[in-house]
């Protein structure tokens, strides 16, 4: 306990405490019929931010896609990050103290631990996306996304440079996907696109016709 409460370790201990608080709150809210996970998944997908088309926004979009954001419930990714960040930081401090005899400043070590935690979040995300989330009747395979009309939410979609797009399926579930034009076209934020082919982590898209727009309304 003394080790956990040392100043240099508070940032990592705090992450674990926050995780336990979220888990407790989720349990309590689930008992009354409202889960934090449902709230996050309902709020976050509908939260549009007018992000300028910059390299930073494109990098953030790719990072979120790499972490399986939009494919796995946001609460799972958040809890996984908190656990990974907290445990990795404390283990690192233990090793440093045993070898050097002192603890590193928490803020300094936190930068390295943050990047060490991200691959762990992706690992869990890859595992979780293999399982159907929610009722089986509402489980959606990625290949069923073909033919959907989505809206570019972040970035500019052009050949070799995917952007993020969003659409809702017949169950009302909102999905985020990375998209790239089918031909030599460029789609900007707010443009509607038609998903025509799955290409691994992203989808090939083209400009939807009026018929596709009517079918997806």
């Amino acid at each position: 306990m003394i080790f956990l409460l040392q100043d240099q370790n508070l940032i990592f201990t705090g992450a674990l405490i926050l995780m336990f608080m979220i888990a407790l709150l989720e349990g309590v809210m689930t008992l009354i019929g409202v889960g934090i996970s449902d709230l996050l998944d309902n709020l976050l997908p509908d939260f549009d931010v007018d992000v300028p088309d910059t390299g930073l926004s494109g990098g953030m979009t790719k990072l979120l896609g790499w972490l399986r954001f939009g494919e796995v419930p946001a609460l799972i990714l958040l809890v996984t990050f908190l656990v990974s960040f907290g445990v990795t930081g404390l283990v690192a401090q233990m090793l440093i103290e045993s070898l050097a005899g002192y603890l590193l400043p928490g803020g300094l070590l936190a930068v390295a631990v943050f990047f060490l935690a991200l691959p762990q979040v992706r690992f869990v995300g890859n595992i979780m996306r293999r399982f159907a989330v929610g009722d089986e009747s509402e489980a959606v395979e990625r290949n069923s996304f073909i033919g959907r009309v989505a809206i570019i939410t972040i970035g500019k979609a052009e050949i070799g440079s995917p952007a993020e797009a969003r659409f809702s399926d017949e169950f009302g579930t909102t999905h985020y996907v990375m998209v790239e034009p089918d031909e030599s076209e460029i789609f900007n934020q707010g443009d509607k696109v038609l998903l025509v082919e799955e290409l691994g982590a992203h989808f090939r898209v083209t400009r939807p016709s009026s018929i596709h727009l009517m079918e997806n309304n």
Side-chain angles (χ1 to χ4, degrees):
M1 184 61 68
I2 295 177
F3 175 80
L4 295 178
L5 296 179
Q6 292 194 56
D7 291 342
Q8 298 91 326
N9 294 333
L10 286 181
I11 188 172
F12 307 115
T13 303
L16 295 178
I17 293 176
L18 179 57
M19 181 273 297
F20 283 117
M21 291 176 63
I22 291 175
L24 179 61
L25 186 59
E26 168 72 2
V28 172
M29 294 188 69
T30 299
L31 290 178
I32 63 176
V34 180
I36 299 177
S37 181
D38 294 331
L39 289 176
L40 282 176
D41 290 332
N42 288 333
L43 290 176
L44 290 178
D46 294 327
F47 182 66
D48 286 330
V49 180
D50 187 12
V51 179
D53 182 26
T54 64
L56 180 60
S57 66
M60 182 60 67
T61 298
K62 293 178 181 179
L63 174 62
L64 292 176
W66 185 74
L67 293 175
R68 303 307 181 191
F69 182 82
E71 301 177 56
V72 176
L75 184 63
I76 292 179
L77 297 179
L78 174 60
V79 169
T80 300
F81 173 78
L82 292 173
V83 173
S84 301
F85 182 81
V87 172
T88 302
L90 292 174
V91 170
Q93 288 285 47
M94 288 181 182
L95 292 176
I96 292 171
E97 186 178 35
S98 64
L99 295 175
Y102 59 86
L103 298 174
L104 286 180
L108 178 63
L109 183 60
V111 176
V113 172
F114 174 83
F115 290 103
L116 290 175
L118 294 182
Q120 299 176 59
V121 176
R122 174 178 166 81
F123 176 76
V124 173
N126 283 335
I127 294 176
M128 294 305 301
R129 72 192 290 256
R130 297 176 183 271
F131 297 90
V133 179
D135 297 333
E136 291 185 5
S137 61
E138 296 188 9
V140 179
E141 296 292 337
R142 281 176 61 85
N143 57 17
S144 69
F145 295 170
I146 304 301
R148 299 283 183 179
V149 173
I151 299 177
I152 303 294
T153 54
I154 299 178
K156 177 187 296 184
E158 52 188 327
I159 294 180
S161 180
E164 180 190 83
R166 184 191 71 187
F167 71 91
S168 296
D169 60 28
E170 63 269 27
F171 303 108
T173 301
T174 303
H175 301 273
Y176 278 96
V177 292
M178 301 300 294
V179 300
E180 183 179 336
D182 185 34
E183 298 177 353
S184 299
E185 292 187 275
I186 296 178
F187 296 104
N188 297 302
Q189 185 175 348
D191 289 347
K192 293 184 177 182
V193 295
L194 175 69
L195 279 61
V196 296
E197 183 183 3
E198 182 180 5
L199 299 173
H202 63 275
F203 288 84
R204 187 82 71 186
V205 297
T206 188
R207 196 171 300 278
S209 64
S210 57
I211 295 177
H212 289 118
L213 292 175
M214 293 177 60
E215 291 176 346
N216 281 265
N217 287 333

